[in-house]
Amino acid sequence: MADWKIVYYSDAVMQFLEDLPVGLRACYARITERMVVHGPNLGMPYTRAMGKGLFETRVHGREGIARVFYCTAVGNKIVMLHGFVKKTDKTPPKELKIATRRLHEVKREDT
């Protein structure tokens, strides 16, 4: 099986990840390294399916919790769509809406 490739929806998504505190960045790096080798659906506690082709990485560190939404695309690509630092138990609807809109854009371009 071929390795997967991580790509980013935009420079802003990449910048968000680069700006995360070091502990969260390290956790994100460990998760994505596994995704490249084993595929996008690692399951709990690393990733979770959100439905309709949307997934989230579950990033934890001393500094807090972050989520990065992603989807898959043709050619073994994992597209990181949107990230945010989690401040409440539930995912804010605004964050989910941004990720869902970007998911639809990626899927439209992918066909």
Side-chain angles (χ1 to χ4, degrees), residues 1-4 30-43 78:
M1 184 167 84
D3 281 353
W4 288 77
R30 284 191 302 275
I31 292 170
T32 54
E33 285 167 7
R34 287 178 184 210
M35 291 169 81
V36 166
V37 174
H38 301 291
N41 192 8
L42 298 176
I78 299 168

Side-chain angles (χ1 to χ4, degrees), residues 3-105:
D3 281 353
W4 288 77
K5 180 178 179 177
I6 305 282
V7 296
Y8 296 89
Y9 175 83
S10 67
D11 289 342
V13 175
M14 233 187 318
Q15 190 63 55
F16 165 80
L17 293 164
E18 288 172 10
D19 291 344
L20 284 174
V22 68
L24 293 177
R25 260 195 340 261
C27 180
Y28 173 78
R30 284 191 302 275
I31 292 170
T32 54
E33 285 167 7
R34 287 178 184 210
M35 291 169 81
V36 166
V37 174
H38 301 291
N41 192 8
L42 298 176
M44 296 293 268
Y46 308 108
T47 65
R48 183 173 77 148
M50 301 296 287
K52 298 183 180 164
L54 185 67
F55 298 85
E56 70 175 3
T57 59
R58 303 169 56 79
V59 181
H60 298 264
R62 255 180 283 138
E63 305 94 340
I65 298 171
R67 295 289 186 257
V68 183
F69 293 109
Y70 67 93
C71 66
T72 58
V74 172
N76 278 10
K77 284 190 270 189
I78 299 168
V79 184
M80 296 301 173
L81 300 168
H82 176 64
F84 70 100
V85 174
K86 202 159 185 212
K87 294 183 169 73
T88 62
D89 285 345
K90 290 202 175 261
T91 299
K94 177 186 101 174
E95 307 294 352
L96 198 52
K97 189 174 180 180
I98 292 168
T100 302
R101 188 183 75 241
R102 291 177 179 179
L103 166 71
H104 292 307
E105 286 176 26

